[in-house]
Amino acid sequence: MTPTSPRFSPNGRRLIEVLAYPAVQLLDVTGPLQVFASANALAARAGNAEPYEVRVVAKHGPTIEASAGVGLAVHPLPAIGTAVDTLVIPGGDGVNAAAADRALVDWVRGRAGQAHRTASVCTGAFLLAASGVLDGRRAATHWQFCSELAERFPAVRVESDPIFVRDGSFWTSAGVTSGIDLALALLEEDLGRAAALAVARYLVVFFKRPGGQAQFSEILSLQTTDNRFGALHDWISGHLADDLSLSTLAKQAGMSERSFSRHYADATGLTPARAIERLRVEGARHLLSETRLPVKRISQRCGFGSEETMRRSFLRVLSTTPQDYRARFAR
C-alpha cells in the first residue's frame, strides 16, 4: 500500500500519530511515545534538529481515559490526506469496542493507506485486522490472543512467537512492552542503529530482545480455561528431575495413557513430551537468573541429564542458549 500524502509535518519532522480510544492500554501508548520522545531529547542535546513530531489522536476529546484511570490529552482525528509518516494503533480492553465503531475503522483503513507505515501494539492488531489492511499479511499480537485473532480474522497469517513482525509497510507487535521493541525498530529504520541503540541505553531496555515472546509466557500458555491440568503442572514443577514418562504422568492425572495423551493435547495444544520440555526450560530459566548454580548442575536438577540436552532445548524453545540467557537475565 503506497502512501499518497507527504510523510513529514510542515516543520520537516516525521509525524507519528498514536491512536487513542476509551480504555486503551496506557503502556501501549506511552511506551512507543517515550522511544520517539527520547530520540528527540538525545538529538536536541547533541545540537541536532528533533526528528519526530508525535501526536496522540482520538475520535473524541479533548481527553481519553486510558487504563489505570489515566487521562490522555488528545488531538482530533486528522483528515485523510494530510501528512503522516507513521500510524500506531495500541491495544487494550477497549479495542473490541473500537473495532466495532465503523467510522473509526474506516478512518484507520484510510489513514493506513496514507501513512508511510502502520504499526499495532498488542491487541491493537484486532483494530487493524477489522479494517482489512492485514488481510493476507503476517501479524503478531499478545500470545494470549493469537488464537482469537486467527479465528476472528482467518485472512490474517498470525504468528504467535515473534516480539514483532514486519510485512511490507505494516508492523505488528506482541504484548504490551513489545511496543517499545517495535518503536526501537522503527527508529533504527529511520535514524540508524547507533541512534536506536542510544535510546535503548537511555531507557535501560534491550535494543533487540533475545528470543521470542514465548520465553516470557511458557508456564502461562499451558493454562487452560478450566485448568484441568493445573495440579499436574504444579506437581511436575516440583519433580523436574524425576521420571516424567507418559505412564508416570497418566498415573498422576488418574487416566489411562491413551486417554491422558488425547485430553492433554486437546487442552494445551502440546504433546506431554513437549510440555515437559517447556516446563523443564522454565525451571532452568528460574535457576539461571536467580542462582549461581553451575549450568551442569542446573541441567541435572531440571531433568535434562546433560548440559548439551539443555542447550538444545533452550535453542528450540527460546532461540537462545542457557549461557546467553543467564548473561542477559541474571540478577
Side-chain angles (χ1 to χ4, degrees), residues 129-144:
S131 75
V133 300
L134 293 183
D135 287 357
R137 297 185 181 275
R138 298 164 53 238
T141 190
H142 191 292
W143 64 270
Q144 196 171 17

Side-chain angles (χ1 to χ4, degrees), residues 87 89 95 99 105 108-109 112 118-121 123-135 153 156 170-172:
L87 174 66
I89 309 296
V95 74
V105 170
V108 169
R109 183 186 305 111
T118 301
S120 67
V121 181
T123 54
F126 283 81
L127 181 49
L128 268 189
S131 75
V133 300
L134 293 183
D135 287 357
F153 302 100
V156 179
F170 291 87
W171 305 59
T172 53

Side-chain angles (χ1 to χ4, degrees), residues 142-187:
H142 191 292
W143 64 270
Q144 196 171 17
F145 298 99
C146 287
S147 296
E148 182 182 350
L149 182 65
E151 182 177 348
R152 287 175 55 182
F153 302 100
V156 179
R157 292 150 51 196
V158 180
E159 298 190 8
S160 60
D161 187 52
I163 296 295
F164 65 85
V165 168
R166 179 183 184 178
D167 191 324
S169 62
F170 291 87
W171 305 59
T172 53
S173 66
V176 194
T177 59
S178 66
I180 297 173
D181 300 81
L182 181 144
L184 286 169
L186 297 175
L187 176 60

Side-chain angles (χ1 to χ4, degrees), residues 83-316:
V84 63
D85 181 82
T86 304
L87 174 66
V88 179
I89 309 296
D93 289 343
V95 74
N96 286 327
D101 184 333
R102 297 316 308 171
L104 184 58
V105 170
D106 289 344
W107 181 85
V108 169
R109 183 186 305 111
R111 201 58 171 154
Q114 298 293 320
H116 171 62
R117 60 193 177 188
T118 301
S120 67
V121 181
C122 195
T123 54
F126 283 81
L127 181 49
L128 268 189
S131 75
V133 300
L134 293 183
D135 287 357
R137 297 185 181 275
R138 298 164 53 238
T141 190
H142 191 292
W143 64 270
Q144 196 171 17
F145 298 99
C146 287
S147 296
E148 182 182 350
L149 182 65
E151 182 177 348
R152 287 175 55 182
F153 302 100
V156 179
R157 292 150 51 196
V158 180
E159 298 190 8
S160 60
D161 187 52
I163 296 295
F164 65 85
V165 168
R166 179 183 184 178
D167 191 324
S169 62
F170 291 87
W171 305 59
T172 53
S173 66
V176 194
T177 59
S178 66
I180 297 173
D181 300 81
L182 181 144
L184 286 169
L186 297 175
L187 176 60
E188 181 183 16
E189 182 182 58
D190 292 341
L191 306 180
R193 178 183 176 87
L197 182 57
V199 170
R201 286 173 173 167
Y202 178 74
L203 296 178
V204 198
V205 297
F206 286 115
F207 173 41
K208 292 188 177 179
R209 200 186 308 198
Q213 65 170 325
Q215 67 175 284
F216 299 94
S217 61
E218 290 300 345
I219 198 73
L220 297 176
S221 67
L222 292 175
Q223 295 180 358
T224 59
T225 302
D226 58 10
N227 203 25
R228 75 177 80 174
F229 295 109
L232 177 64
H233 292 148
D234 290 341
W235 180 85
I236 292 170
S237 295
H239 296 79
L240 292 176
D242 296 349
D243 169 30
L244 296 179
S245 61
L246 179 61
S247 59
T248 298
L249 298 177
K251 181 178 180 180
Q252 186 67 27
M255 299 180 183
S256 69
E257 292 182 26
R258 184 175 180 180
S259 179
F260 171 73
S261 294
R262 183 178 71 255
H263 287 295
Y264 190 87
D266 288 343
T268 67
L270 295 172
T271 65
R274 285 300 184 199
I276 292 300
E277 179 182 48
R278 294 189 178 191
L279 288 169
R280 281 178 164 147
V281 167
E282 181 76 14
R285 284 175 49 208
H286 173 75
L287 293 176
L288 286 166
S289 61
E290 301 292 333
T291 76
R292 296 184 179 180
L293 288 173
V295 173
K296 181 178 181 179
R297 187 171 177 186
I298 291 174
S299 68
Q300 295 169 343
R301 180 176 290 192
C302 293
F304 290 105
S306 70
E307 291 182 57
E308 178 58 24
T309 299
M310 186 168 83
R311 189 185 73 84
R312 289 199 299 267
S313 289
F314 264 65
L315 287 171
R316 185 162 42 244

